[in-house]
């Protein structure tokens, strides 16, 4: 895993200043210590060894999370980088009066920024600074990060090659439909009480219900977007603690799965490997 360190940055500046005819190097960015700044926000990135271009896994943190914690050399980031991926973790914004970051994910409530546009801004910035392959990209996210990933998949399905929300989906009222077909693998805990599979009421905001949606209804929307022939899944697979339901009688070039695990609100063991294997298995359907 290649982090861009502060010491490495300082060395680069010194080297550039010492070489005649060379302008001072631009400040670098990347790992947990130094986010890359864009017009609308910031992100962290870790890169594999080699020249690239590197496929991309972008992961959206949950409520109160931060991108810096996601790019430390462990867990999913370590797995992704070991398999040749650039791993990008954008940062949510802190709302006025609060002290923890979040995402403006709900389409019916005012947000601080257009998050879908911000994620594309991040991809454009990363393509400029680093040798990434934005045509082979997967957008994942946990909890409300998973909700944001779901809404991006619904409204702008071509923004990323594939989507992998975890423990987060649509909120009520559910979308009436999505813009087009997707490649999507949704993962959820059977015992999740923070974001139950059926959703739950949170509170009222300005006289309107703020309530989580139903994952099973979301799967209906995805089946409709992918022109699947049946309500029921066509294939079933068990990967350790992950129980997968797979729809294959759908439009060419699409992919749709629901993976359940016997756990609560979290990212299950084996999720990173499952998702990367799934994504790499889609290569025949990706232009």
């Amino acid at each position: 895993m290649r982090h861009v360190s502060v010491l490495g940055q300082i060395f680069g500046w010194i080297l550039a200043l010492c070489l005649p005819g060379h302008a001072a190097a631009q400040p670098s960015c990347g790992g947990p210590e130094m986010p890359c700044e864009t017009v609308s926000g910031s992100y962290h990135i870790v890169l594999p060894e080699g020249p690239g271009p590197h496929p991309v896994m972008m992961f959206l943190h949950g409520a109160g999370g931060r991108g810096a914690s996601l790019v430390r050399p462990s867990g999913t980031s370590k797995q992704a980088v070991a398999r040749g991926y650039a791993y990008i973790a954008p940062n949510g914004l802190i709302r006025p009066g609060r002290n923890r970051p979040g995402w403006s994910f709900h389409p019916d409530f005012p947000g601080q920024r257009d998050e879908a546009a911000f994620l594309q801004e991040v991809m454009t910035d990363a393509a400029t600074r680093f040798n990434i392959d934005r045509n082979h990209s997967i957008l994942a996210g946990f909890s409300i990060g998973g909700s944001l990933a779901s809404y991006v998949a619904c409204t702008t399905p071509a923004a990323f090659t594939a989507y992998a929300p975890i423990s987060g989906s649509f909120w009520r009222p559910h979308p009436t439909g999505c813009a087009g077909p997707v490649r999507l693998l949704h993962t959820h805990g059977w015992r999740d009480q923070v974001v139950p599979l059926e959703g739950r009421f949170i509170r009222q905001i300005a006289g309107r219900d703020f309530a989580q949606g139903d994952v099973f209804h979301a799967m209906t929307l995805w089946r409709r977007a992918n022109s699947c022939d049946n309500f029921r899944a066509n294939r079933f697979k068990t990967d350790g603690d992950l129980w997968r339901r797979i729809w294959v009688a759908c439009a060419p070039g699409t992919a749709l799965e629901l993976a359940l695990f016997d756990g609560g609100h979290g990212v299950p063991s084996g999720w990173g490997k499952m998702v990367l294997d799934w994504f790499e298995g889609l290569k025949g359907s990706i232009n």
Side-chain angles (χ1 to χ4, degrees):
M1 184 182 299
R2 179 154 54 92
H3 290 277
V4 182
S5 68
V6 175
L7 288 176
Q9 175 185 293
I10 294 172
F11 178 77
W13 287 342
I14 294 171
L15 181 63
L17 289 171
C18 292
L19 291 175
H22 287 265
Q26 291 297 312
S28 56
C29 63
E33 301 86 1
M34 185 172 292
C36 298
E37 302 288 341
T38 70
V39 173
S40 304
S42 63
Y43 66 94
H44 300 264
I45 183 171
V46 285
L47 300 167
E49 298 296 334
H54 309 295
V56 176
M57 172 177 264
M58 180 182 288
F59 196 101
L60 307 177
H61 61 71
R66 299 178 190 275
S69 65
L70 297 175
V71 296
R72 300 190 185 281
S74 62
T76 302
S77 67
K78 182 178 180 179
Q79 295 176 38
V81 171
R83 291 172 67 154
Y85 289 77
Y87 186 90
I88 300 176
N91 288 308
L93 296 177
I94 298 176
R95 293 180 179 275
R98 299 190 180 184
N99 58 8
R100 302 196 310 161
W103 301 105
S104 300
F105 64 93
H106 201 300
D108 294 333
F109 292 91
Q112 292 178 280
R113 66 183 172 195
D114 181 335
E115 301 288 20
F118 167 62
L119 299 184
Q120 287 306 300
E121 181 180 292
V122 169
M123 290 292 282
T124 299
D125 187 83
T128 301
R129 296 178 192 257
F130 313 101
N131 192 11
I132 67 165
D133 181 1
R134 59 188 306 170
N135 293 319
H136 290 85
S137 58
I138 180 166
L139 177 64
F142 171 68
S143 196
I144 62 168
S147 292
L148 176 55
S150 297
Y151 281 112
V152 173
C154 186
T155 58
T156 55
F160 292 84
T161 310
Y163 298 85
I166 317 165
S167 302
S169 187
F170 298 127
W171 287 55
R172 301 174 194 270
H174 301 93
T176 56
C178 293
V182 295
R183 303 177 184 93
L184 183 140
L185 193 166
H186 181 96
T187 305
H188 218 100
W190 185 255
R191 303 174 186 272
D192 196 332
Q193 295 296 301
V194 177
V195 183
L197 284 161
E198 301 82 4
R200 67 184 176 106
F201 173 78
I202 304 297
R203 62 182 181 276
Q204 281 206 326
I205 299 178
R208 302 170 64 187
D209 287 349
F210 188 60
Q212 298 163 351
D214 187 312
V215 171
F216 299 110
H217 185 75
M219 297 307 296
T220 297
L221 295 174
W222 298 129
R223 290 194 297 270
R224 189 182 304 158
N226 283 5
S227 301
C228 297
D229 290 344
N230 299 307
F231 298 136
R232 61 179 175 81
N234 308 103
R235 295 179 184 170
F236 306 88
K237 185 176 181 181
T238 302
D239 281 344
D241 295 332
L242 291 154
W243 312 315
R244 298 166 66 177
R245 303 174 64 84
I246 307 166
W247 285 262
V248 296
C250 306
T254 65
L256 183 61
E257 294 194 25
L258 172 63
L260 299 174
F261 63 97
D262 187 12
H265 193 63
V267 179
S269 174
W271 177 85
K273 181 181 184 303
M274 176 188 70
V275 168
L276 292 170
D277 287 347
W278 170 77
F279 182 60
E280 290 167 11
L282 301 177
K283 286 183 178 178
S285 67
I286 299 173
N287 295 326

